Amino acid sequence: MVTSSVVNTYPLSSYSFGTKEPKMEKDTSVADRLARMKLNYMKEGMRTSVEAILLVQEHNHPHILLLQIGNTFCKLPGGRLKPGENEVEGLKRKLSSKLAANSPNMQPNWQIGECVAVWWRPNFETIMYPYCPPHISKPKECKKLYVVHLSEREYFAVPKNLKLLAVPLFELYDNVQRYGPVISTIPQQLSRFQFNMIPA
Amino acid sequence: MVTSSVVNTYPLSSYSFGTKEPKMEKDTSVADRLARMKLNYMKEGMRTSVEAILLVQEHNHPHILLLQIGNTFCKLPGGRLKPGENEVEGLKRKLSSKLAANSPNMQPNWQIGECVAVWWRPNFETIMYPYCPPHISKPKECKKLYVVHLSEREYFAVPKNLKLLAVPLFELYDNVQRYGPVISTIPQQLSRFQFNMIPA
């Protein structure tokens, strides 16, 4: 793990992008998703998920890499840990599954940095909070967001059904309608970091 | 400085509160405030201000101490640094001026922790952003928020024109109308901390 409050951000043009087989969503509706969550909770207890904030720069302003599904919904790369799985190792596994070529020789150097946010899901519902609400003794999910430091050059393989977007912080800020409560407050969570913008 | 992601939070009832002479706002209107800011900028350059997040607990939920002016406006204790002043020392000075008794023997043990947020003011206007916006080469203010670790017992002297409130995180969250963009996103900025709730 890298714990530094300085984050080197390289130009988007430093990275190259290809495609790989689609990674379909496991559920086709929110209701299906919550039902599957409930079933898994009964088997394995609280779900822990980990997501990555991958940073690049354009015009000297930090941008975050988001996966877009269809034409609207955006999400951070990451996913659910296996029961007992280490968070850092699990996040690397999820990042490779979502963004790396299938060849073991072509895995990006995922340098997992600091945890910058933790969100809690008190019930089998879509709403999450940045704290475990009072009187909730058995939250259903804990989601942790990590800064991931990228190396200067990497190759990303993006599943064919998804688009990888570099979205500037100023687009995310105060834009809960478009990006939801978790992603739209990433600019505030990153504000304490110093970005070292590396020119092209 | 204390850099720990564990924050001991003691019950509000651990602390005692008295009053001291009023600390009046320097400006009576927003326009006056921005005009004074401009004048100071011409003399001293960018303003740096530091503010404290002081945490207590009630019913095992974290609460933040806010100073209320009149019946509506709330602010964090803190203020403007002198040119060249160290941030940690300056924050201690400001906290003592706002919240400590006048006797040097009765100063709380201000243990300044991590910087959790940085806000930028690009122009002589009220709006601030959690990043320096692109194309702004001379921001007018940089405001830094620090977690401050409180000891188990302290005495606070509150200026007579202000009220000190303990506001729960769940009240601040998603409440930009009441608390403004800086204070209302403190729950997100604190979400990565583990609160060690000390019983009464």
Side-chain angles (χ1 to χ4, degrees):
Chain A
M1 265 191 84
V2 181
T3 57
S4 166
S5 59
V6 179
V7 181
N8 287 336
T9 48
Y10 298 94
L12 183 59
S13 58
S14 298
Y15 302 105
S16 50
F17 302 89
T19 57
K20 65 175 179 179
E21 75 287 354
K23 293 265 171 192
M24 301 313 286
E25 290 289 289
K26 285 191 180 129
D27 313 294
T28 53
S29 72
V30 171
D32 282 1
R33 181 150 184 273
L34 296 171
R36 189 170 56 90
M37 202 176 269
K38 198 163 183 171
L39 210 67
N40 281 332
Y41 181 84
M42 274 149 38
K43 285 190 289 183
E44 304 172 351
M46 186 183 76
R47 172 192 177 110
T48 304
S49 53
V50 287
E51 295 184 347
I53 299 173
L54 302 171
L55 288 145
V56 300
Q57 66 106 339
E58 283 207 291
H59 310 297
N60 285 314
H61 185 72
H63 289 53
I64 287 174
L65 299 183
L66 294 178
L67 287 165
Q68 191 182 26
I69 306 159
N71 280 316
T72 51
F73 185 69
C74 282
K75 62 177 189 175
L76 294 167
R80 180 161 70 106
L81 295 183
K82 297 173 184 170
E85 189 178 23
N86 173 279
E87 290 172 10
V88 169
E89 292 312 310
L91 181 54
K92 288 181 181 179
R93 176 177 66 79
K94 281 290 177 185
L95 284 172
S96 288
S97 140
K98 298 286 170 77
L99 287 174
N102 294 327
S103 157
N105 304 326
M106 289 183 70
Q107 300 303 303
N109 175 21
W110 307 118
Q111 302 165 77
I112 313 297
E114 290 182 55
C115 173
V116 294
V118 179
W119 290 81
W120 299 88
R121 188 189 306 274
N123 303 112
F124 298 113
E125 292 170 6
T126 52
I127 193 162
M128 299 187 85
Y129 297 95
Y131 45 79
C132 190
H135 313 301
I136 297 290
S137 56
K138 293 188 173 172
K140 304 305 181 282
E141 179 175 352
C142 175
K143 184 206 286 272
K144 298 190 178 183
L145 274 58
Y146 285 87
V147 164
V148 174
H149 299 260
L150 291 176
S151 301
E152 186 166 1
R153 309 220 167 258
E154 296 291 2
Y155 171 78
F156 299 107
V158 182
K160 271 187 179 152
N161 60 318
L162 302 174
K163 268 180 283 188
L164 190 65
L165 306 177
V167 183
L169 292 186
F170 66 76
E171 159 75 10
L172 299 176
Y173 177 62
D174 206 18
N175 201 346
V176 66
Q177 295 83 354
R178 174 95 177 74
Y179 296 100
V182 173
I183 294 178
S184 67
T185 49
I186 287 175
Q188 287 93 318
Q189 272 134 13
L190 296 182
S191 69
R192 68 192 167 94
F193 287 90
Q194 194 192 318
F195 294 103
N196 183 19
M197 306 284 177
I198 317 271
Chain B
M1 264 189 84
V2 180
T3 58
S4 166
S5 59
V6 179
V7 181
N8 288 337
T9 47
Y10 298 95
L12 183 60
S13 58
S14 299
Y15 302 106
S16 51
F17 301 90
T19 58
K20 64 176 181 177
E21 75 288 353
K23 294 265 172 192
M24 301 314 286
E25 291 289 289
K26 285 191 179 126
D27 313 295
T28 52
S29 72
V30 172
D32 282 2
R33 181 149 185 274
L34 297 171
R36 187 169 58 90
M37 202 176 271
K38 197 163 185 170
L39 210 69
N40 282 334
Y41 181 85
M42 276 151 36
K43 284 190 290 184
E44 303 171 354
M46 186 183 76
R47 171 191 179 111
T48 303
S49 52
V50 286
E51 295 183 346
I53 299 174
L54 302 171
L55 287 145
V56 300
Q57 66 105 338
E58 284 208 290
H59 311 297
N60 286 314
H61 186 72
H63 289 54
I64 287 175
L65 299 184
L66 294 178
L67 287 165
Q68 190 181 28
I69 307 159
N71 281 316
T72 51
F73 185 69
C74 283
K75 61 177 190 177
L76 293 166
R80 180 162 69 106
L81 295 182
K82 297 174 185 170
E85 189 178 22
N86 173 280
E87 289 171 11
V88 170
E89 292 311 308
L91 181 53
K92 289 182 181 178
R93 175 177 66 78
K94 281 290 177 183
L95 283 173
S96 288
S97 140
K98 296 288 169 77
L99 286 175
N102 293 327
S103 156
N105 303 328
M106 290 185 67
Q107 299 302 302
N109 175 22
W110 306 117
Q111 302 165 78
I112 313 297
E114 289 183 55
C115 174
V116 294
V118 179
W119 289 82
W120 298 88
R121 187 189 305 277
N123 302 112
F124 297 113
E125 292 168 8
T126 52
I127 194 162
M128 299 187 86
Y129 297 94
Y131 44 80
C132 191
H135 313 301
I136 296 290
S137 56
K138 293 188 173 172
K140 303 307 181 282
E141 179 174 354
C142 175
K143 182 204 287 272
K144 298 190 179 185
L145 273 57
Y146 285 87
V147 164
V148 175
H149 299 261
L150 291 176
S151 300
E152 187 168 0
R153 308 219 167 258
E154 295 291 2
Y155 171 80
F156 298 107
V158 182
K160 273 188 179 151
N161 60 320
L162 302 174
K163 268 181 284 189
L164 190 64
L165 305 178
V167 183
L169 293 186
F170 66 75
E171 158 76 12
L172 299 175
Y173 176 62
D174 205 21
N175 201 346
V176 66
Q177 295 81 353
R178 173 94 176 76
Y179 296 100
V182 174
I183 293 177
S184 68
T185 49
I186 288 175
Q188 287 93 317
Q189 273 135 13
L190 296 183
S191 69
R192 66 191 169 95
F193 288 90
Q194 195 193 318
F195 294 103
N196 184 17
M197 307 284 176
I198 317 273

